């Protein structure tokens, strides 16, 4: 093989094959970083939405308890009468009470 062929082989290997491999590695790292950032943003958005929903549920439960308990206290009603008058099912009241008690226990742990 002559010097020109050796030089062409060297240039091809150096510029194309080595460049391809280094470009591929750099692209992989860039893609990994971009994927991580995209995942972080998506995870943040999902967490924010889930937290919002949890907050809405907790506030709804709290509102049910406050409303029913206030009606019972202010109008001297039984639980059944207060729930019926407010249009709240007794099961919903019991569920709200249990959920808020569980949240309080979780916070105190």
């Amino acid at each position: 093989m002559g010097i020109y062929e050796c030089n062409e082989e060297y240039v091809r290997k150096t510029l194309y094959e080595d460049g391809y491999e280094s470009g591929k590695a750099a692209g992989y790292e860039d893609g990994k970083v971009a994927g991580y950032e995209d995942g972080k943003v998506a995870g943040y958005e999902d967490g924010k939405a889930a937290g919002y929903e949890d907050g809405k549920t907790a506030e709804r439960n709290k509102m049910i308890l406050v409303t029913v308990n206030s009606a019972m206290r202010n109008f001297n009603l039984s639980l059944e009468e207060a729930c019926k008058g407010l249009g709240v099912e007794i099961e919903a009241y019991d569920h709200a009470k249990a959920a808020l008690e569980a949240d309080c226990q979780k916070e105190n742990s």
Side-chain angles (χ1 to χ4, degrees):
M1 177 179 318
I3 189 143
Y4 294 112
E5 289 86 16
C6 286
N7 189 35
E8 285 179 13
E9 173 121 358
Y10 173 77
V11 168
R12 182 183 54 77
K13 182 171 178 14
T14 303
L15 292 180
Y16 298 113
E17 292 176 8
D18 292 348
Y20 172 80
E21 290 301 320
S22 65
K24 182 177 165 185
Y28 175 77
E29 288 302 315
D30 289 348
K32 198 163 78 170
V33 169
Y36 173 76
E37 291 300 320
D38 289 348
K40 197 163 77 170
V41 168
Y44 173 78
E45 292 300 323
D46 291 347
K48 187 170 142 183
Y52 178 74
E53 289 302 317
D54 289 349
K56 272 186 12 182
T57 301
E59 286 303 311
R60 182 178 176 278
N61 289 339
K62 186 176 176 183
M63 186 58 68
I64 289 172
L65 286 180
V66 167
T67 305
V68 171
N69 288 337
S70 294
M72 288 172 32
R73 184 180 61 248
N74 294 331
F75 300 112
N76 294 321
L77 300 174
S78 68
L79 175 63
E80 292 80 16
E81 292 170 330
C83 286
K84 183 177 179 184
L86 294 169
V88 175
E89 295 179 6
I90 294 174
E91 294 81 18
Y93 175 84
D94 291 338
H95 175 74
K97 186 174 181 179
L100 285 176
E101 286 174 353
D103 286 346
C104 287
Q105 287 177 353
K106 206 185 317 180
E107 288 176 6
N108 292 333
S109 300

